[in-house]
Amino acid sequence: MGNLFCCVQVDQSTVAMRERFGRFEGVLQPGCHCMPWILGSQLAGHLSLRVQQLDVRCETKTKDNVFVNVVASVQYRALAEKASDAYYKLSNTKSQIQAYVFDVIRSTVPKINLDDAFEQKNDIAKAVEDELEKAMSAYGYEIVQTLIIDIEPDEHVKRSMNEINAAARLRVAANEKAEAAKILQIKHAEGESESRYLAGLGIARQRQAIVDGLRDSVLGFSVKVPGTTPKDVLDLVLVTQYFDTMKEIGAASKSSTVFIPHGPGSVRDVANQIRDGFLPDSHP
């Protein structure tokens, strides 16, 4: 119906190419335009000014000979002031962009190792964007942004990388576990040493208390019972302790204590040994 009344409509974010007898005459902006087809005017086609996106998958290899698939996302749009160049100079815009992306990626990625490729994604994207901007501006297109959205090595390579990472983490975990065991052993040894030290102090104090008690008992008994000597008192104490010990052994039904030497006559030997230990100057 529009052609019947020589009127055409151009949608928003779109421009149209106007020709007259096959020759470019002008660019029609969004809106309604008069197109006198009887005078040779015609509409050659429309060109979108919206930002478009093209994902390009390129296979290449890195410097360490690992084949990878690099996925680049190119966002581009036609410039309104160069709409005629964008429409007439290129027959297939996407193929042209894809060719430039292939060229840049296959000349950039082989210069770096696989690990560096993941770290330098922005540098690769910047190289692709600069090359596309320089090439596509002559055709009336603007490169809005270029992104490297994925770098996919071979499945075997990814498995090997995961195994290397897992081995490194296991090595760190083993070192940490060994350090923890070392600390536990050191702390245990320190605690045992402190415990033995304190036990030694307790035994020393106990023996000192026994000696002091025996000394006080001997001196007190000698004073209160005239005519007795310290030797007599010490023998009496030993005999008393002997009978106390025998009483305790007999009172226990399942006692495993063995008192050696045994017998009342052996008390004299024990007394002599103790007296020799405590009173070395008692014999002439």
Side-chain angles (χ1 to χ4, degrees):
M1 183 64 68
N3 290 335
L4 181 61
F5 293 100
C6 300
C7 293
V8 294
Q9 176 182 322
V10 180
D11 296 333
Q12 186 65 34
S13 299
T14 305
V15 293
M17 302 299 115
R18 179 177 179 176
E19 296 179 351
R20 187 172 185 181
F21 296 111
R23 180 180 179 180
F24 174 71
E25 189 176 45
V27 177
L28 301 181
Q29 300 298 324
C32 185
H33 301 272
C34 180
M35 186 71 63
W37 56 269
I38 57 176
L39 299 179
S41 297
Q42 62 177 357
L43 197 64
H46 294 79
L47 179 67
S48 176
L49 300 180
R50 295 179 180 178
V51 176
Q52 303 181 62
Q53 179 170 311
L54 174 63
D55 293 335
V56 181
R57 178 181 293 269
C58 176
E59 184 180 16
T60 183
K61 75 171 186 174
T62 60
K63 187 177 180 180
D64 46 355
N65 297 321
V66 177
F67 282 88
V68 294
N69 287 316
V70 181
V71 181
S73 179
V74 181
Q75 298 175 358
Y76 66 96
R77 65 181 176 185
L79 298 173
E81 60 273 15
K82 294 183 178 181
S84 59
D85 293 338
Y87 184 82
Y88 287 103
K89 286 187 176 182
L90 287 179
S91 60
N92 193 328
T93 305
K94 293 184 177 181
S95 297
Q96 186 78 3
I97 293 176
Q98 186 176 10
Y100 280 111
V101 172
F102 280 176
D103 180 67
V104 175
I105 290 179
R106 287 175 177 171
S107 62
T108 303
V109 176
K111 297 178 182 179
I112 55 180
N113 294 324
L114 178 62
D115 293 337
D116 297 333
F118 287 96
E119 298 176 1
Q120 300 179 17
K121 289 172 57 177
N122 292 336
D123 297 337
I124 300 173
K126 187 65 168 57
V128 174
E129 183 176 343
D130 293 342
E131 185 66 23
L132 284 176
E133 184 68 32
K134 182 171 59 178
M136 299 303 295
S137 61
Y139 300 106
Y141 282 92
E142 175 191 13
I143 304 301
V144 178
Q145 192 172 13
T146 301
L147 303 173
I148 302 298
I149 59 177
D150 200 5
I151 298 178
E152 300 177 355
D154 184 76
E155 188 65 30
H156 297 289
V157 176
K158 290 195 291 186
R159 188 179 301 114
S160 299
M161 294 174 65
N162 290 334
E163 290 176 356
I164 293 173
N165 189 19
R169 293 181 180 274
L170 287 175
R171 184 168 61 252
V172 173
N175 290 335
E176 294 296 331
K177 186 176 181 180
E179 288 293 330
K182 176 182 176 182
I183 293 174
L184 288 176
Q185 290 182 356
I186 292 174
K187 293 299 182 182
H188 178 73
E190 291 177 353
E192 186 175 355
S193 175
E194 185 69 18
S195 175
R196 290 181 178 180
Y197 172 75
L198 295 176
L201 290 179
I203 293 175
R205 291 175 180 175
Q206 180 186 21
R207 291 175 177 175
Q208 183 65 39
I210 292 173
V211 171
D212 293 342
L214 288 174
R215 185 184 66 246
D216 294 341
S217 298
V218 170
L219 293 177
F221 194 88
S222 300
V223 172
K224 293 181 180 180
V225 181
T228 59
T229 64
K231 176 180 178 302
D232 297 334
V233 178
L234 185 59
D235 290 340
L236 178 62
V237 171
L238 290 175
V239 171
T240 303
Q241 290 183 346
Y242 170 78
F243 283 110
D244 290 341
T245 303
M246 295 303 298
K247 179 181 178 181
E248 291 181 2
I249 295 175
S253 60
K254 296 182 179 180
S255 175
S256 59
T257 303
V258 179
F259 188 72
I260 298 175
H262 180 65
S266 62
V267 176
R268 182 178 299 276
D269 296 334
V270 175
N272 292 333
Q273 294 176 14
I274 295 176
R275 184 171 58 252
D276 292 340
F278 285 97
L279 303 171
D281 298 333
S282 61
H283 293 286

